[in-house]
Amino acid sequence: KIELVPCYLLLAEANLGLGRHKQAEEYLSLANWSILKNPDCSNRTKSQLYRNFGKLYASQGKHDEALRQLANDVYFSSLQVGPEHIETAGGYYYIATVFYLQRRIDCALAMCDKVVDIWLKHVSGLIDVTKVDASEELEPLGESQLMDGLQTLTKIVALREESMGPDHITTGEALYTVSLVYIYAKDNQRALQLMEKAYNIYYWELGPDSTRTQELAESIRLAGGVPQAPTGE
């Protein structure tokens, strides 16, 4: 029954998290069979099905098949909410993780760029409505989206630190994006810690007079901090 598909997907995801691949695959197969028999099923549900299949195959080392499933995830998510939505960004992130497992680092980093850009635009617009196009209405973040966003972006910071270096500008961008999510979550203390690290990177890489450095300095002030010029080089 199509009504059982959300339950199958939740059970599959729980078993994936526990490393029970056989059980996860069984639940995904049940969900897939129900969806095939009900072609009018929502694109969001199809996206969730393919994302879980992608995660399953990635964990089993079937990387090419994982990428095919995750491409389907992104396709159906794009149909549902658009290619630049934070829901779709989750698909880009999982594609990045598979590319990373394949040691296709440039491809992985390109996907991470996409994820960071989407989250930066979304959360900046939620915090400051003047940064959003008048025709665009941003949805507030739910608790699960907030947790997923923090987890995903924190992992991207680690990936960029490892691949590009802790002082690279892209690492700073990811740090700044995570900090804005913490601002939205009203954890200004953690946000300021990350903003200060990002500010040091922006200061040296872009210069203190750069528009982006100045925007970050203003974000620090709005969060209750004081931008401090880094010492040394």
Side-chain angles (χ1 to χ4, degrees), residues 93-94 146-156:
Y93 169 70
Y94 286 112
L146 205 55
M147 296 305 294
D148 286 346
L150 288 171
Q151 186 177 46
T152 296
L153 292 166
T154 300
K155 287 179 178 177
I156 288 175

Side-chain angles (χ1 to χ4, degrees), residues 8-128:
Y8 292 149
L9 293 176
L10 283 173
L11 288 165
E13 198 160 351
N15 278 284
L16 268 176
L18 294 168
R20 298 172 180 167
H21 296 158
K22 187 173 184 298
Q23 292 94 325
E25 192 160 15
E26 288 173 359
Y27 284 119
L28 289 176
S29 296
L30 288 169
N32 191 38
W33 177 247
S34 298
I35 288 172
L36 287 173
K37 294 183 72 175
N38 294 272
D40 294 334
C41 174
S42 76
N43 290 320
R44 178 176 276 114
T45 300
K46 292 175 184 175
S47 166
Q48 291 169 345
L49 172 71
Y50 288 120
R51 185 169 300 184
N52 279 302
F53 265 126
K55 288 160 66 176
L56 171 67
Y57 291 135
S59 66
Q60 293 174 327
K62 301 174 183 176
H63 298 149
D64 289 338
E65 184 57 34
L67 288 174
R68 278 191 287 272
Q69 298 292 334
L70 291 167
N72 286 331
D73 160 28
V74 167
Y75 172 74
F76 284 108
S77 183
S78 297
L79 289 179
Q80 181 73 35
V81 293
E84 302 295 318
H85 194 279
I86 57 170
E87 283 186 31
T88 310
Y92 299 134
Y93 169 70
Y94 286 112
I95 289 174
T97 63
V98 177
F99 281 144
Y100 189 74
L101 290 170
Q102 293 179 317
R103 307 310 298 166
R104 296 164 67 183
I105 303 302
D106 287 347
C107 294
L109 291 171
M111 286 291 105
C112 288
D113 290 347
K114 187 77 172 169
V115 177
V116 172
D117 287 346
I118 290 170
W119 270 96
L120 180 58
K121 181 182 177 185
H122 190 90
V123 77
S124 295
L126 289 173
I127 293 169
D128 183 356

Side-chain angles (χ1 to χ4, degrees), residues 121-190:
K121 181 182 177 185
H122 190 90
V123 77
S124 295
L126 289 173
I127 293 169
D128 183 356
V129 293
T130 64
K131 294 183 179 179
V132 186
D133 188 282
S135 64
E136 191 174 359
E137 187 174 340
L138 296 178
E139 303 168 18
L141 297 175
E143 188 173 346
S144 63
Q145 288 178 317
L146 205 55
M147 296 305 294
D148 286 346
L150 288 171
Q151 186 177 46
T152 296
L153 292 166
T154 300
K155 287 179 178 177
I156 288 175
V157 169
L159 175 61
R160 285 182 169 179
E161 284 179 337
E162 181 182 336
S163 303
M164 306 299 291
D167 299 321
H168 195 273
I169 187 60
T170 59
T171 303
E173 289 169 347
L175 285 165
Y176 180 42
T177 305
V178 183
S179 76
L180 291 178
V181 180
Y182 276 112
I183 289 289
Y184 183 82
K186 302 192 185 309
D187 186 350
N188 284 23
Q189 184 176 1
R190 181 62 179 142

